[in-house]
Structures are given as structure tokens and as C-alpha cells.
Amino acid sequence: MLPLIVLHRLDAVLDPTKKAVLEAKAKYEAMGLEGDAFEKAIAKVAIGGDRQQPLYNLTWI
């Protein structure tokens, strides 16, 4: 039960930028971006406005 609670809380933290990250993922994949360049580009989108950690989730949950 505890792992589900932790996953739910993590998802709640990521929720404000989730849509933008998923859109950026589709855009960068269409451009053929891979590896470190892909990770850095997605991290910039994930940071958003005032968040300090480049944390993101690329899954459709």
C-alpha cells in the first residue's frame, strides 16, 4: 500500500507540467532528438516556472 501512496504523491508533484512534458516529448521524438540532448530538452520543459528539480514522467497514466 505504501508504494502506491508514494507513487500517487509523486504524480501529484508532476501534475502541473505533465501536459507540457508529454507535448514536448512528442515534438522532440518527431524531430528525431535522442540521448542526452533529448533528456536536456525535456528537463527544461519539466522545470517549468518556479520548480527547481528537473523531474518528469513520460508515461500516460
Side-chain angles (χ1 to χ4, degrees), residues 17-38:
T17 58
K18 187 173 186 174
K19 183 178 178 183
V21 168
L22 291 174
E23 289 172 356
K25 177 184 181 248
K27 174 183 165 187
Y28 295 137
E29 284 178 342
M31 292 171 50
L33 205 58
E34 296 177 343
D36 288 338
F38 178 80

Side-chain angles (χ1 to χ4, degrees), residues 1-11:
M1 184 70 162
L2 186 58
L4 293 175
I5 293 170
V6 172
L7 289 175
H8 177 70
R9 302 263 325 220
L10 183 58
D11 192 49

Side-chain angles (χ1 to χ4, degrees), residues 6-7 9-18 21 39 42-48 51-58:
V6 172
L7 289 175
R9 302 263 325 220
L10 183 58
D11 192 49
V13 169
L14 299 174
D15 193 46
T17 58
K18 187 173 186 174
V21 168
E39 294 293 328
I42 292 290
K44 285 182 183 179
V45 175
I47 289 173
R51 257 194 17 219
Q52 298 298 313
Q53 75 277 17
L55 188 62
Y56 53 89
N57 184 359
L58 298 175

